[in-house]
Amino acid sequence: MTATDALDAVAARALRHLEADGALRTVDAAFAALLRDRLDATPAVALAGALAMRAVAMGHSSVALADMPALLAALDADAALPDPSAWAEAIAASAQVAANAATAPLDFAHGRLALSRYARYEQQLSERLARRARPVADADPSPALVSALADAVKTLFATVAQQDDVDRQALAAIVALRRRLLLITGGPGTGKTTTVARLLALQLAHARLRAAPAPRIALAAPTGRAAARLGEAIDAVLRADVAAGRIEPSLADSVPHRARTLHRLLGARPGRVGFRHDARRPLPFDLVVVDEASMVDLPLMAKLVEAVRDEATLVLLGDPDQLPAVEAGDVLGGLCEAAGDGRGLPPRDAQVAAMLLDGAVPSTPTAAPLAGARVHLVRGWRQAGAAGLRVLADAVQRGDEHAALAVLDGEDASLDWHQGDTLALADTLRREALPVFATVRDADDPAQALQRATALRILTALRRGPFGAEHWNAWCAAELGGRTPYFHGRLLAMLANSERHGLYNGDLGVVWRDARGEAAVWFDTANGLRAWRPAQLPAHASAWATTVHKAQGSEFERIALILPDTDARVLSRELLYTALTRARHRALVWATPDLLRRTIGRRTWRDSGLAARLHALASPPAE
């Protein structure tokens, strides 16, 4: 038997084993059969195709061949895979790989395997972002402009306390004047939205100082609720800054106070795959801001960047430590890896920033392909009054299970740690959560009820089961006296976007019965408080409890986090960190020590080839 025959025999056995074991879906096995029977691929290539297809369903846009054992481990499969070096040679030589045939269904580059469609997204995105990240031709301000710009920066970002953090916010605004790509990263409550509001005001002031037209600005986010929050937050920052004298009212009025979903921004067309805006019909904006970038998957990010004009600036806000997008590709994580830690700037950028800030700016020479395109904010404001909660979130972020359990086991007033069965959990929630939810029911009016509804939310890792959101929503309804579905004080959340109603997935409403006993559901919309009869509403569900995924981007005064009593694949460090950072002041954690250790020790693995492709673009070609 030749080495090739032996390789194919191992691959064929692995493919049969994975299919019989249920590790492969029907579509994965069918794709392998198509490669083998219709396209004459070898068993080694057919196995690679099946795993590439399976990887996309697990959230990976591409996977390093060396990581295939980890992929199988995540599937709880134990098939023997071919020798990596021989397998790589067989894949690289195949006619079903894009390097050998333009229309091939697979791609194999930089030691990574992907479906060709996702590889094209990665390559096109990396090429466009690499060009966009370079300093613009006229990036350095003229001597006449330096003094005026410095005054504008000082006025916008000056504050008495926490000067280091305000300087980092100012750094981000200065980078946006010099580059067409900016990543503003940081944990929840680090001031990303405040930074971008003032960044936009500086962009407008810069245009005015140069007697140039005001930049056309678009605000967007991946979901309707995130878009609404972005607009609301920017509006609040600008109103406060106008009142404090930081921003002229005319500048504040020129900043848009409404944001759109990415699909609406790009011009989604019902029944069609593509968007109205693309490279041939770019967006008519000079500056595009996208919040919650960690939630944007690879295909959508690729289409967004394609549609942003080469001369326009793209600003992405996000927290790379939160849960990544549900669909394939950890885009923000890959971009952050390619941009460096965001703590310093390349030398020339640092020199210009120092002139405008009249002080030293960290300079970090680096060969990172997106160097200078990231500014990381480090000061957290959301949990400033909850030391234990902040320490716990930091320990989880680092993966330090011993420190996390130690702070949970302490006596910090911002943390409660409990464990037990569902009866004990019900007793705890009856004591800790129901009185808060009762204040919603007992409010004076719907506006006060919606305000009180942000005081506490039950967060779950799972949607179904005895520790899931659906179970505890039903329990809350029964405990709060709901004899009819739409009883007074019931909290509801939208399950889908509805442009007609002006309501979006995740929007919170409260059922309110008037003096005649007639029920209406009230929402705080972009156009103020509005009410609908229950029958008028699109899909919705109770909202006292929600999954951590659904809560991403929201914040509450307190949370009650429920983890299941047995391990589940969804449990991860990122899920726990995201949950804890939804709370401003206090968190109740329901979990066993063993499950917490497992959760903190498990990373959400979302593989992407973006960083590898960006590094390849930045490296000189091999001789």
Side-chain angles (χ1 to χ4, degrees), residues 319-323 376 397 573-575 577-578 603:
D319 181 356
D321 294 310
Q322 286 193 38
L323 287 165
H376 187 68
Q397 182 186 36
R573 182 185 309 174
E574 289 78 10
L575 181 136
Y577 170 80
T578 301
R603 299 298 306 265

Side-chain angles (χ1 to χ4, degrees), residues 20 34 125 129 149 162 217 229 231 259 273 341 417 456 492 526 612:
L34 173 69
L125 181 57
L129 290 179
L149 262 181
Q162 305 301 341
I217 300 167
R229 282 193 300 268
V273 175
D341 64 10
W417 182 23
L456 173 70
L492 297 177

Side-chain angles (χ1 to χ4, degrees), residues 397-489:
Q397 182 186 36
R398 298 192 310 270
D400 190 340
E401 62 186 55
H402 300 293
L405 290 175
V407 69
L408 275 171
D409 207 24
E411 297 183 357
D412 192 279
S414 64
L415 293 170
D416 287 313
W417 182 23
H418 302 276
Q419 56 183 299
D421 58 18
T422 54
L423 290 177
L425 175 55
D427 287 340
T428 300
L429 292 180
R430 191 175 288 113
R431 182 177 64 252
E432 298 286 341
L434 289 185
V436 180
F437 295 145
T439 67
V440 176
R441 179 193 61 201
D442 299 335
D444 295 334
D445 52 48
Q448 187 182 67
L450 287 170
Q451 184 180 25
R452 291 180 176 181
T454 64
L456 173 70
R457 194 60 41 87
I458 299 170
L459 302 184
T460 65
L462 306 176
R463 187 158 64 94
R464 296 189 176 93
F467 292 88
E470 291 181 354
H471 173 87
W472 291 103
N473 271 321
W475 179 84
C476 285
E479 291 286 325
L480 291 168
R483 294 185 178 86
T484 62
Y486 297 97
F487 61 89
H488 186 80

Side-chain angles (χ1 to χ4, degrees), residues 188 321-323 382-383 389 392-393 396 457-461 546-549 551-556 558-563 572-584 586-589 599:
D321 294 310
Q322 286 193 38
L323 287 165
R382 178 178 296 176
Q383 298 171 337
L389 182 55
L392 175 59
V396 170
R457 194 60 41 87
I458 299 170
L459 302 184
T460 65
T546 187
T547 62
V548 176
H549 278 84
Q552 193 164 352
S554 300
E555 60 180 76
F556 313 98
R558 297 158 55 191
I559 65 156
L561 173 63
I562 300 173
L563 300 187
S572 68
R573 182 185 309 174
E574 289 78 10
L575 181 136
L576 184 55
Y577 170 80
T578 301
L580 293 170
T581 52
R582 299 310 91 207
R584 282 182 173 273
R586 189 178 170 205
L588 183 155
V589 178
T599 300

Side-chain angles (χ1 to χ4, degrees), residues 15-319:
L15 193 56
R16 289 194 300 269
H17 179 86
L18 292 172
E19 188 175 359
D21 199 35
L24 296 180
R25 302 166 303 161
T26 301
V27 67
D28 306 324
F31 183 52
L34 173 69
L35 289 169
R36 184 184 61 241
D37 301 336
R38 298 278 299 276
L39 301 178
D40 296 325
T42 64
V45 174
L47 173 64
L51 291 174
M53 180 78 79
R54 189 70 182 92
V56 168
M58 298 171 69
H60 309 299
S61 55
S62 65
V63 181
L65 203 65
D67 288 336
M68 283 301 179
L71 186 77
L72 295 194
L75 292 168
D76 296 325
D78 59 356
L81 295 173
D83 173 75
S85 58
W87 196 12
E89 289 181 12
I91 296 170
S94 172
Q96 306 314 319
V97 170
N100 303 320
T103 59
L106 298 176
D107 184 272
F108 188 62
H110 315 298
R112 307 182 65 83
L113 182 67
L115 299 180
S116 287
R117 175 190 173 207
Y118 287 89
R120 285 193 294 272
Y121 282 138
E122 286 186 347
Q123 188 63 29
Q124 291 167 5
L125 181 57
S126 61
E127 289 173 357
R128 289 189 169 102
L129 290 179
R131 290 195 300 269
R132 186 174 291 281
R134 299 171 190 144
V136 298
D138 58 346
D140 292 352
S142 66
L145 193 56
V146 168
S147 177
L149 262 181
D151 288 342
V153 171
K154 182 178 180 181
T155 300
L156 279 167
F157 294 94
T159 189
V160 175
Q162 305 301 341
Q163 183 63 39
D164 289 343
D165 299 302
V166 173
D167 282 351
R168 297 201 64 74
Q169 294 180 5
L171 282 182
I174 292 168
V175 169
L177 297 175
R178 297 179 51 77
R179 296 172 186 265
R180 301 302 187 209
L181 174 68
L182 171 61
L183 312 176
I184 301 178
T185 59
T190 50
K192 296 188 292 294
T193 309
T194 299
T195 301
V196 83
R198 294 172 181 168
L199 177 156
L200 297 176
L202 184 63
Q203 290 275 332
L204 291 162
H206 183 235
R208 182 179 294 181
L209 289 169
R210 293 182 296 119
R216 297 164 295 176
I217 300 167
L219 306 177
T223 68
R225 186 61 201 134
R229 282 193 300 268
L230 175 61
E232 292 162 1
I234 286 181
D235 179 69
V237 172
L238 293 174
R239 282 190 285 105
D241 281 351
V242 168
R246 287 195 185 94
I247 299 176
E248 295 179 22
S250 60
L251 285 182
D253 290 342
S254 299
V255 175
H257 294 220
R258 295 281 300 275
R260 288 172 271 191
T261 65
L262 284 173
H263 284 79
R264 189 174 183 187
L265 175 73
L266 294 172
R269 296 177 290 182
R272 302 183 67 174
V273 175
F275 291 103
R276 183 174 296 108
H277 293 288
D278 53 21
R280 292 175 299 169
R281 296 174 294 275
L283 291 164
F285 300 106
D286 304 300
L287 197 153
V288 177
V289 175
V290 178
D291 196 13
E292 299 292 352
S294 64
M295 298 171 67
V296 183
D297 59 46
L298 174 65
L300 184 56
M301 185 68 80
K303 291 170 184 176
L304 167 68
V305 173
E306 178 189 13
V308 176
R309 297 184 308 114
D310 291 341
E311 301 80 14
T313 299
L314 176 63
V315 179
L316 303 176
L317 313 178
D319 181 356

